[in-house]
Amino acid sequence: MQLLPSLLILVPFCGGQDEWEAPEYCRGSPCPQFTVVNKTTDFEERVYVATAWITTKIPNLTAYDLIAASARLKSVAGHFDAWPVLVNVTNGKEYSLSWFVPPYMNIPEITDPSVQLEIRPEVNVYVRVFRGTPSIDQGKLNANELCKSLRKAGKTFSTERYAGAAYESYFALTHHNEVWIDKTQ
Ligand SMILES: *[C@@H]1O[C@H](CO)[C@@H](O)[C@H](O)[C@H]1NC(C)=O
Ligand SMILES: *[C@@H]1O[C@H](CO)[C@@H](O)[C@H](O)[C@H]1NC(C)=O
Ligand SMILES: *[C@@H]1O[C@H](CO)[C@@H](O)[C@H](O)[C@H]1NC(C)=O
């Protein structure tokens, strides 16, 4: 009986201090690990650890091209459970679609030249969250809003690129979406 209190005290340490607790909106699926280093009412700044992605270019930002891009990623990696799905927009005219690849997952050798496995080094990003069914227009709108907030706050950030992140299937009932803009020095 005397052992009990000390056992109870020990329990919280057994989780391991380095274990990262994924946010609720990942809904138990693997998602990239980050730390929030600053937070305002308009945006937060996160530091993401180095992460792996499979990426394919999208010729044009249409639903048709997005579906075709998803099919290319799927044919390389199969279907796996991880979020987010990222649409990367560079200079307002180059687009790509990326799937987060969890650290323990092995992607088979990629033979499709239109798909790349890339390691994104650790990065600071500014993030704005938005709700509702994700769309290209909503992504653009929220990227503009984030841009304005960052200017107002005197932050330095990439003006070339933003990414829209979705954490659930298009057909889900509720949505947590984000826009990401890289911090620059
Ligand atoms: C991209 O989509 C727009 C609108 O649907 C179309 O007018 C344009 O020709 C397309 N461009 C390419 C390269 O497919
Ligand atoms: C977006 O695309 C750029 C250029 O292709 C790349 O350097 C960057 O890592 C991509 N961002 C993400 C989040 O994948
Ligand atoms: C957090 O952001 C606020 C608002 O832009 C800024 O005043 C503050 O210096 C930032 N803190 C850190 C640690 O970056």
Side-chain angles (χ1 to χ4, degrees), residues 2-161:
Q2 268 179 348
L3 267 176
L4 212 47
S6 59
L7 270 180
L8 287 179
I9 289 164
L10 280 175
V11 166
F13 293 100
C14 294
Q17 282 172 319
D18 290 321
E19 206 152 302
W20 180 67
E21 193 156 331
E24 201 190 330
Y25 52 77
C26 295
R27 302 186 193 198
S29 301
C31 59
Q33 182 172 343
F34 65 85
T35 315
V36 176
V37 292
N38 202 354
K39 198 174 163 84
T40 73
T41 49
D42 299 323
F43 59 85
E44 63 186 38
E45 181 184 344
R46 299 179 182 168
V47 181
Y48 275 94
V49 302
T51 42
W53 301 80
I54 46 171
T55 296
T56 189
K57 286 208 162 74
I58 310 173
N60 209 347
L61 212 43
T62 61
Y64 176 84
D65 284 347
L66 269 169
I67 290 167
S70 297
R72 284 198 297 282
L73 295 181
K74 198 170 177 177
S75 73
V76 161
H79 180 78
F80 60 96
D81 177 42
W83 298 95
V85 165
L86 218 61
V87 174
N88 199 348
V89 181
T90 307
N91 295 321
K93 58 179 165 36
E94 289 158 40
Y95 315 103
S96 61
L97 180 74
S98 304
W99 287 358
F100 169 62
V101 178
Y104 54 80
M105 199 176 132
N106 277 320
I107 296 287
E109 198 184 335
I110 298 176
T111 50
D112 180 345
S114 69
V115 175
Q116 280 84 41
L117 176 66
E118 50 174 337
I119 307 295
R120 207 177 179 235
E122 181 183 286
V123 64
N124 288 49
V125 290
Y126 294 111
V127 177
R128 177 185 164 94
V129 172
F130 64 103
R131 313 272 165 198
T133 305
S135 68
I136 302 307
D137 285 345
Q138 281 303 310
K140 227 180 253 175
L141 207 121
N142 280 279
N144 279 337
E145 288 301 314
L146 177 54
C147 212
K148 273 192 240 162
S149 309
L150 293 175
R151 267 212 187 103
K152 209 159 80 187
K155 307 289 185 190
T156 51
F157 56 93
S158 165
T159 51
E160 280 175 4
R161 199 157 70 216

